[in-house]
Amino acid sequence: MTFADATWLTTTLLCLALIFHAVEIFILSFRPGFQKIWSYENLRSDLEQGLPLPNTWIRSLFSMTGFKSTAALQLLAALMALFVPHIALFSLLFVTHFLICIRFRGTFNGGSDMMTFVVLMGILIVFGSTNPDVQKFGLIYISIHTLYSYLKAGLAKMAQNDWRSGRAIPA
């Protein structure tokens, strides 16, 4: 596989993942339970105390309307980057993903949200440089994080009897 092929495959899979992520948010946002649990009113004190922004910005960014707008922007940017990969689009995807994670006060989908940041950072390195060695480092960065994360998780699961027996799966 060539470097160009690896970059194309990585960006394509990243864009598809972010498209599905935005669609998931839209689907969930119409459910009453989601609206109640993840309402701005429930999160207000954490967001207003934890972010160094004016409260009016926080309210507009993280209200349900702002949240859906951020997801819509992510969906649009991911669709565009799928066909025209550009550093500006991947930078926008980084920002929208970051805002969505703040809205969930961390990650919503756990490790996959963190791995999305790793892949976005690697792709930003690829598109942010004209030096082929630096560009290759972007994909190496993704590879190292991926191998380490899944090797570590796999070894931990092999070492724990609950994982080997299947008892940990329902939990």
PDB file of all heavy atoms in Angstrom, residues 96-125:
ATOM      1  N   THR A  96     -15.267  20.611  16.044  1.00  0.00           N
ATOM      2  CA  THR A  96     -16.628  20.125  16.318  1.00  0.00           C
ATOM      3  C   THR A  96     -16.606  18.896  17.221  1.00  0.00           C
ATOM      4  O   THR A  96     -17.421  18.778  18.127  1.00  0.00           O
ATOM      5  CB  THR A  96     -17.406  19.815  15.030  1.00  0.00           C
ATOM      6  OG1 THR A  96     -16.711  18.831  14.259  1.00  0.00           O
ATOM      7  CG2 THR A  96     -17.633  21.069  14.207  1.00  0.00           C
ATOM      8  N   HIS A  97     -15.653  18.003  16.984  1.00  0.00           N
ATOM      9  CA  HIS A  97     -15.553  16.811  17.838  1.00  0.00           C
ATOM     10  C   HIS A  97     -15.203  17.218  19.272  1.00  0.00           C
ATOM     11  O   HIS A  97     -15.748  16.675  20.233  1.00  0.00           O
ATOM     12  CB  HIS A  97     -14.513  15.833  17.270  1.00  0.00           C
ATOM     13  CG  HIS A  97     -14.490  14.520  17.958  1.00  0.00           C
ATOM     14  ND1 HIS A  97     -15.555  13.646  17.936  1.00  0.00           N
ATOM     15  CD2 HIS A  97     -13.543  13.913  18.712  1.00  0.00           C
ATOM     16  CE1 HIS A  97     -15.258  12.568  18.644  1.00  0.00           C
ATOM     17  NE2 HIS A  97     -14.043  12.716  19.119  1.00  0.00           N
ATOM     18  N   PHE A  98     -14.317  18.190  19.403  1.00  0.00           N
ATOM     19  CA  PHE A  98     -13.934  18.703  20.717  1.00  0.00           C
ATOM     20  C   PHE A  98     -15.145  19.302  21.439  1.00  0.00           C
ATOM     21  O   PHE A  98     -15.382  19.022  22.615  1.00  0.00           O
ATOM     22  CB  PHE A  98     -12.818  19.747  20.552  1.00  0.00           C
ATOM     23  CG  PHE A  98     -12.275  20.282  21.827  1.00  0.00           C
ATOM     24  CD1 PHE A  98     -11.561  19.477  22.699  1.00  0.00           C
ATOM     25  CD2 PHE A  98     -12.476  21.609  22.181  1.00  0.00           C
ATOM     26  CE1 PHE A  98     -11.038  19.964  23.887  1.00  0.00           C
ATOM     27  CE2 PHE A  98     -11.970  22.117  23.361  1.00  0.00           C
ATOM     28  CZ  PHE A  98     -11.248  21.299  24.219  1.00  0.00           C
ATOM     29  N   LEU A  99     -15.929  20.106  20.734  1.00  0.00           N
ATOM     30  CA  LEU A  99     -17.113  20.720  21.339  1.00  0.00           C
ATOM     31  C   LEU A  99     -18.144  19.670  21.752  1.00  0.00           C
ATOM     32  O   LEU A  99     -18.767  19.781  22.808  1.00  0.00           O
ATOM     33  CB  LEU A  99     -17.746  21.730  20.378  1.00  0.00           C
ATOM     34  CG  LEU A  99     -16.962  23.023  20.154  1.00  0.00           C
ATOM     35  CD1 LEU A  99     -17.602  23.858  19.051  1.00  0.00           C
ATOM     36  CD2 LEU A  99     -16.839  23.816  21.442  1.00  0.00           C
ATOM     37  N   ILE A 100     -18.302  18.648  20.927  1.00  0.00           N
ATOM     38  CA  ILE A 100     -19.244  17.581  21.266  1.00  0.00           C
ATOM     39  C   ILE A 100     -18.766  16.831  22.511  1.00  0.00           C
ATOM     40  O   ILE A 100     -19.560  16.517  23.398  1.00  0.00           O
ATOM     41  CB  ILE A 100     -19.458  16.641  20.059  1.00  0.00           C
ATOM     42  CG1 ILE A 100     -20.275  17.376  18.985  1.00  0.00           C
ATOM     43  CG2 ILE A 100     -20.158  15.350  20.480  1.00  0.00           C
ATOM     44  CD1 ILE A 100     -20.333  16.675  17.645  1.00  0.00           C
ATOM     45  N   CYS A 101     -17.477  16.578  22.601  1.00  0.00           N
ATOM     46  CA  CYS A 101     -16.949  15.898  23.794  1.00  0.00           C
ATOM     47  C   CYS A 101     -17.113  16.777  25.040  1.00  0.00           C
ATOM     48  O   CYS A 101     -17.423  16.262  26.116  1.00  0.00           O
ATOM     49  CB  CYS A 101     -15.489  15.502  23.592  1.00  0.00           C
ATOM     50  SG  CYS A 101     -15.294  14.077  22.506  1.00  0.00           S
ATOM     51  N   ILE A 102     -16.920  18.091  24.901  1.00  0.00           N
ATOM     52  CA  ILE A 102     -17.157  18.986  26.036  1.00  0.00           C
ATOM     53  C   ILE A 102     -18.617  18.901  26.450  1.00  0.00           C
ATOM     54  O   ILE A 102     -18.942  18.841  27.630  1.00  0.00           O
ATOM     55  CB  ILE A 102     -16.780  20.446  25.692  1.00  0.00           C
ATOM     56  CG1 ILE A 102     -15.269  20.589  25.605  1.00  0.00           C
ATOM     57  CG2 ILE A 102     -17.340  21.419  26.735  1.00  0.00           C
ATOM     58  CD1 ILE A 102     -14.808  21.946  25.124  1.00  0.00           C
ATOM     59  N   ARG A 103     -19.508  18.885  25.475  1.00  0.00           N
ATOM     60  CA  ARG A 103     -20.950  18.822  25.766  1.00  0.00           C
ATOM     61  C   ARG A 103     -21.296  17.573  26.560  1.00  0.00           C
ATOM     62  O   ARG A 103     -22.155  17.590  27.426  1.00  0.00           O
ATOM     63  CB  ARG A 103     -21.723  18.858  24.450  1.00  0.00           C
ATOM     64  CG  ARG A 103     -23.238  18.797  24.586  1.00  0.00           C
ATOM     65  CD  ARG A 103     -23.743  20.025  25.334  1.00  0.00           C
ATOM     66  NE  ARG A 103     -25.155  20.227  25.250  1.00  0.00           N
ATOM     67  CZ  ARG A 103     -26.087  19.510  25.858  1.00  0.00           C
ATOM     68  NH1 ARG A 103     -25.749  18.481  26.577  1.00  0.00           N
ATOM     69  NH2 ARG A 103     -27.353  19.803  25.716  1.00  0.00           N
ATOM     70  N   PHE A 104     -20.595  16.481  26.278  1.00  0.00           N
ATOM     71  CA  PHE A 104     -20.829  15.241  27.022  1.00  0.00           C
ATOM     72  C   PHE A 104     -19.973  15.176  28.281  1.00  0.00           C
ATOM     73  O   PHE A 104     -19.946  14.151  28.942  1.00  0.00           O
ATOM     74  CB  PHE A 104     -20.577  14.021  26.143  1.00  0.00           C
ATOM     75  CG  PHE A 104     -21.673  13.769  25.160  1.00  0.00           C
ATOM     76  CD1 PHE A 104     -21.404  13.745  23.808  1.00  0.00           C
ATOM     77  CD2 PHE A 104     -22.971  13.541  25.584  1.00  0.00           C
ATOM     78  CE1 PHE A 104     -22.413  13.504  22.896  1.00  0.00           C
ATOM     79  CE2 PHE A 104     -23.982  13.300  24.678  1.00  0.00           C
ATOM     80  CZ  PHE A 104     -23.705  13.287  23.329  1.00  0.00           C
ATOM     81  N   ARG A 105     -19.255  16.273  28.585  1.00  0.00           N
ATOM     82  CA  ARG A 105     -18.376  16.340  29.760  1.00  0.00           C
ATOM     83  C   ARG A 105     -17.353  15.209  29.739  1.00  0.00           C
ATOM     84  O   ARG A 105     -17.084  14.566  30.732  1.00  0.00           O
ATOM     85  CB  ARG A 105     -19.200  16.329  31.046  1.00  0.00           C
ATOM     86  CG  ARG A 105     -20.084  17.496  31.187  1.00  0.00           C
ATOM     87  CD  ARG A 105     -20.931  17.492  32.412  1.00  0.00           C
ATOM     88  NE  ARG A 105     -20.795  16.287  33.190  1.00  0.00           N
ATOM     89  CZ  ARG A 105     -21.671  15.852  34.057  1.00  0.00           C
ATOM     90  NH1 ARG A 105     -22.755  16.495  34.252  1.00  0.00           N
ATOM     91  NH2 ARG A 105     -21.471  14.754  34.737  1.00  0.00           N
ATOM     92  N   GLY A 106     -16.779  14.972  28.618  1.00  0.00           N
ATOM     93  CA  GLY A 106     -15.818  13.888  28.430  1.00  0.00           C
ATOM     94  C   GLY A 106     -16.138  13.217  27.117  1.00  0.00           C
ATOM     95  O   GLY A 106     -16.388  13.874  26.124  1.00  0.00           O
ATOM     96  N   THR A 107     -16.199  11.943  27.123  1.00  0.00           N
ATOM     97  CA  THR A 107     -16.520  11.235  25.894  1.00  0.00           C
ATOM     98  C   THR A 107     -17.877  10.573  26.023  1.00  0.00           C
ATOM     99  O   THR A 107     -18.291  10.181  27.103  1.00  0.00           O
ATOM    100  CB  THR A 107     -15.461  10.170  25.576  1.00  0.00           C
ATOM    101  OG1 THR A 107     -15.437   9.227  26.642  1.00  0.00           O
ATOM    102  CG2 THR A 107     -14.095  10.785  25.389  1.00  0.00           C
ATOM    103  N   PHE A 108     -18.563  10.438  24.911  1.00  0.00           N
ATOM    104  CA  PHE A 108     -19.864   9.775  24.886  1.00  0.00           C
ATOM    105  C   PHE A 108     -19.685   8.310  24.522  1.00  0.00           C
ATOM    106  O   PHE A 108     -20.298   7.436  25.101  1.00  0.00           O
ATOM    107  CB  PHE A 108     -20.777  10.476  23.887  1.00  0.00           C
ATOM    108  CG  PHE A 108     -22.152   9.877  23.813  1.00  0.00           C
ATOM    109  CD1 PHE A 108     -22.980   9.883  24.919  1.00  0.00           C
ATOM    110  CD2 PHE A 108     -22.615   9.323  22.645  1.00  0.00           C
ATOM    111  CE1 PHE A 108     -24.256   9.339  24.864  1.00  0.00           C
ATOM    112  CE2 PHE A 108     -23.885   8.775  22.576  1.00  0.00           C
ATOM    113  CZ  PHE A 108     -24.706   8.785  23.689  1.00  0.00           C
ATOM    114  N   ASN A 109     -18.829   8.047  23.565  1.00  0.00           N
ATOM    115  CA  ASN A 109     -18.594   6.685  23.104  1.00  0.00           C
ATOM    116  C   ASN A 109     -17.297   6.095  23.649  1.00  0.00           C
ATOM    117  O   ASN A 109     -16.745   5.159  23.084  1.00  0.00           O
ATOM    118  CB  ASN A 109     -18.578   6.639  21.570  1.00  0.00           C
ATOM    119  CG  ASN A 109     -19.946   6.920  20.988  1.00  0.00           C
ATOM    120  OD1 ASN A 109     -20.938   6.395  21.461  1.00  0.00           O
ATOM    121  ND2 ASN A 109     -19.995   7.756  19.968  1.00  0.00           N
ATOM    122  N   GLY A 110     -16.780   6.660  24.715  1.00  0.00           N
ATOM    123  CA  GLY A 110     -15.598   6.104  25.365  1.00  0.00           C
ATOM    124  C   GLY A 110     -14.337   6.234  24.540  1.00  0.00           C
ATOM    125  O   GLY A 110     -14.019   7.285  24.005  1.00  0.00           O
ATOM    126  N   GLY A 111     -13.625   5.128  24.430  1.00  0.00           N
ATOM    127  CA  GLY A 111     -12.328   5.119  23.764  1.00  0.00           C
ATOM    128  C   GLY A 111     -12.384   5.511  22.303  1.00  0.00           C
ATOM    129  O   GLY A 111     -11.409   6.047  21.764  1.00  0.00           O
ATOM    130  N   SER A 112     -13.496   5.260  21.635  1.00  0.00           N
ATOM    131  CA  SER A 112     -13.563   5.613  20.214  1.00  0.00           C
ATOM    132  C   SER A 112     -13.502   7.128  20.024  1.00  0.00           C
ATOM    133  O   SER A 112     -12.937   7.604  19.036  1.00  0.00           O
ATOM    134  CB  SER A 112     -14.818   5.040  19.560  1.00  0.00           C
ATOM    135  OG  SER A 112     -15.974   5.675  20.028  1.00  0.00           O
ATOM    136  N   ASP A 113     -14.064   7.899  20.957  1.00  0.00           N
ATOM    137  CA  ASP A 113     -13.959   9.354  20.861  1.00  0.00           C
ATOM    138  C   ASP A 113     -12.513   9.805  21.037  1.00  0.00           C
ATOM    139  O   ASP A 113     -12.048  10.718  20.358  1.00  0.00           O
ATOM    140  CB  ASP A 113     -14.848  10.044  21.899  1.00  0.00           C
ATOM    141  CG  ASP A 113     -16.317   9.987  21.538  1.00  0.00           C
ATOM    142  OD1 ASP A 113     -16.638   9.812  20.347  1.00  0.00           O
ATOM    143  OD2 ASP A 113     -17.153  10.120  22.446  1.00  0.00           O
ATOM    144  N   MET A 114     -11.794   9.167  21.942  1.00  0.00           N
ATOM    145  CA  MET A 114     -10.382   9.513  22.138  1.00  0.00           C
ATOM    146  C   MET A 114      -9.556   9.096  20.912  1.00  0.00           C
ATOM    147  O   MET A 114      -8.671   9.833  20.478  1.00  0.00           O
ATOM    148  CB  MET A 114      -9.830   8.843  23.388  1.00  0.00           C
ATOM    149  CG  MET A 114     -10.464   9.325  24.682  1.00  0.00           C
ATOM    150  SD  MET A 114      -9.976  10.957  25.265  1.00  0.00           S
ATOM    151  CE  MET A 114     -10.828  12.121  24.297  1.00  0.00           C
ATOM    152  N   MET A 115      -9.862   7.935  20.353  1.00  0.00           N
ATOM    153  CA  MET A 115      -9.136   7.485  19.161  1.00  0.00           C
ATOM    154  C   MET A 115      -9.447   8.396  17.975  1.00  0.00           C
ATOM    155  O   MET A 115      -8.581   8.619  17.121  1.00  0.00           O
ATOM    156  CB  MET A 115      -9.480   6.028  18.839  1.00  0.00           C
ATOM    157  CG  MET A 115      -8.586   5.419  17.781  1.00  0.00           C
ATOM    158  SD  MET A 115      -6.812   5.520  18.110  1.00  0.00           S
ATOM    159  CE  MET A 115      -6.625   4.294  19.369  1.00  0.00           C
ATOM    160  N   THR A 116     -10.638   8.959  17.936  1.00  0.00           N
ATOM    161  CA  THR A 116     -10.969   9.910  16.866  1.00  0.00           C
ATOM    162  C   THR A 116     -10.049  11.124  16.949  1.00  0.00           C
ATOM    163  O   THR A 116      -9.574  11.613  15.922  1.00  0.00           O
ATOM    164  CB  THR A 116     -12.453  10.331  16.959  1.00  0.00           C
ATOM    165  OG1 THR A 116     -13.262   9.161  16.809  1.00  0.00           O
ATOM    166  CG2 THR A 116     -12.818  11.342  15.886  1.00  0.00           C
ATOM    167  N   PHE A 117      -9.770  11.599  18.169  1.00  0.00           N
ATOM    168  CA  PHE A 117      -8.823  12.703  18.318  1.00  0.00           C
ATOM    169  C   PHE A 117      -7.434  12.313  17.815  1.00  0.00           C
ATOM    170  O   PHE A 117      -6.749  13.104  17.178  1.00  0.00           O
ATOM    171  CB  PHE A 117      -8.729  13.167  19.774  1.00  0.00           C
ATOM    172  CG  PHE A 117      -9.819  14.093  20.195  1.00  0.00           C
ATOM    173  CD1 PHE A 117     -10.633  13.766  21.251  1.00  0.00           C
ATOM    174  CD2 PHE A 117     -10.019  15.297  19.541  1.00  0.00           C
ATOM    175  CE1 PHE A 117     -11.646  14.619  21.657  1.00  0.00           C
ATOM    176  CE2 PHE A 117     -11.029  16.168  19.926  1.00  0.00           C
ATOM    177  CZ  PHE A 117     -11.850  15.822  20.992  1.00  0.00           C
ATOM    178  N   VAL A 118      -7.006  11.106  18.120  1.00  0.00           N
ATOM    179  CA  VAL A 118      -5.689  10.635  17.666  1.00  0.00           C
ATOM    180  C   VAL A 118      -5.633  10.638  16.143  1.00  0.00           C
ATOM    181  O   VAL A 118      -4.673  11.134  15.546  1.00  0.00           O
ATOM    182  CB  VAL A 118      -5.383   9.223  18.226  1.00  0.00           C
ATOM    183  CG1 VAL A 118      -4.171   8.607  17.554  1.00  0.00           C
ATOM    184  CG2 VAL A 118      -5.175   9.284  19.735  1.00  0.00           C
ATOM    185  N   VAL A 119      -6.661  10.095  15.500  1.00  0.00           N
ATOM    186  CA  VAL A 119      -6.671  10.025  14.036  1.00  0.00           C
ATOM    187  C   VAL A 119      -6.761  11.432  13.442  1.00  0.00           C
ATOM    188  O   VAL A 119      -6.059  11.742  12.470  1.00  0.00           O
ATOM    189  CB  VAL A 119      -7.807   9.111  13.530  1.00  0.00           C
ATOM    190  CG1 VAL A 119      -7.867   9.097  12.009  1.00  0.00           C
ATOM    191  CG2 VAL A 119      -7.631   7.694  14.067  1.00  0.00           C
ATOM    192  N   LEU A 120      -7.601  12.282  14.024  1.00  0.00           N
ATOM    193  CA  LEU A 120      -7.680  13.659  13.532  1.00  0.00           C
ATOM    194  C   LEU A 120      -6.325  14.361  13.639  1.00  0.00           C
ATOM    195  O   LEU A 120      -5.900  15.053  12.713  1.00  0.00           O
ATOM    196  CB  LEU A 120      -8.741  14.443  14.308  1.00  0.00           C
ATOM    197  CG  LEU A 120     -10.181  14.243  13.859  1.00  0.00           C
ATOM    198  CD1 LEU A 120     -11.151  14.748  14.913  1.00  0.00           C
ATOM    199  CD2 LEU A 120     -10.427  14.943  12.527  1.00  0.00           C
ATOM    200  N   MET A 121      -5.635  14.181  14.758  1.00  0.00           N
ATOM    201  CA  MET A 121      -4.332  14.818  14.940  1.00  0.00           C
ATOM    202  C   MET A 121      -3.330  14.292  13.909  1.00  0.00           C
ATOM    203  O   MET A 121      -2.578  15.068  13.313  1.00  0.00           O
ATOM    204  CB  MET A 121      -3.809  14.588  16.363  1.00  0.00           C
ATOM    205  CG  MET A 121      -2.524  15.332  16.651  1.00  0.00           C
ATOM    206  SD  MET A 121      -2.611  17.109  16.379  1.00  0.00           S
ATOM    207  CE  MET A 121      -3.713  17.589  17.651  1.00  0.00           C
ATOM    208  N   GLY A 122      -3.324  12.982  13.702  1.00  0.00           N
ATOM    209  CA  GLY A 122      -2.420  12.409  12.704  1.00  0.00           C
ATOM    210  C   GLY A 122      -2.700  12.944  11.308  1.00  0.00           C
ATOM    211  O   GLY A 122      -1.779  13.266  10.546  1.00  0.00           O
ATOM    212  N   ILE A 123      -3.978  13.056  10.959  1.00  0.00           N
ATOM    213  CA  ILE A 123      -4.346  13.576   9.633  1.00  0.00           C
ATOM    214  C   ILE A 123      -4.000  15.051   9.523  1.00  0.00           C
ATOM    215  O   ILE A 123      -3.562  15.519   8.464  1.00  0.00           O
ATOM    216  CB  ILE A 123      -5.844  13.305   9.346  1.00  0.00           C
ATOM    217  CG1 ILE A 123      -6.080  11.803   9.171  1.00  0.00           C
ATOM    218  CG2 ILE A 123      -6.339  14.081   8.136  1.00  0.00           C
ATOM    219  CD1 ILE A 123      -5.266  11.145   8.060  1.00  0.00           C
ATOM    220  N   LEU A 124      -4.166  15.801  10.602  1.00  0.00           N
ATOM    221  CA  LEU A 124      -3.758  17.209  10.573  1.00  0.00           C
ATOM    222  C   LEU A 124      -2.251  17.341  10.358  1.00  0.00           C
ATOM    223  O   LEU A 124      -1.797  18.256   9.676  1.00  0.00           O
ATOM    224  CB  LEU A 124      -4.193  17.922  11.854  1.00  0.00           C
ATOM    225  CG  LEU A 124      -5.689  18.198  11.966  1.00  0.00           C
ATOM    226  CD1 LEU A 124      -6.037  18.719  13.359  1.00  0.00           C
ATOM    227  CD2 LEU A 124      -6.139  19.183  10.895  1.00  0.00           C
ATOM    228  N   ILE A 125      -1.484  16.416  10.918  1.00  0.00           N
ATOM    229  CA  ILE A 125      -0.031  16.415  10.685  1.00  0.00           C
ATOM    230  C   ILE A 125       0.254  16.131   9.210  1.00  0.00           C
ATOM    231  O   ILE A 125       1.082  16.796   8.589  1.00  0.00           O
ATOM    232  CB  ILE A 125       0.673  15.388  11.603  1.00  0.00           C
ATOM    233  CG1 ILE A 125       0.593  15.835  13.061  1.00  0.00           C
ATOM    234  CG2 ILE A 125       2.125  15.178  11.173  1.00  0.00           C
ATOM    235  CD1 ILE A 125       1.018  14.772  14.070  1.00  0.00           C
TER     236      ILE A 125
END
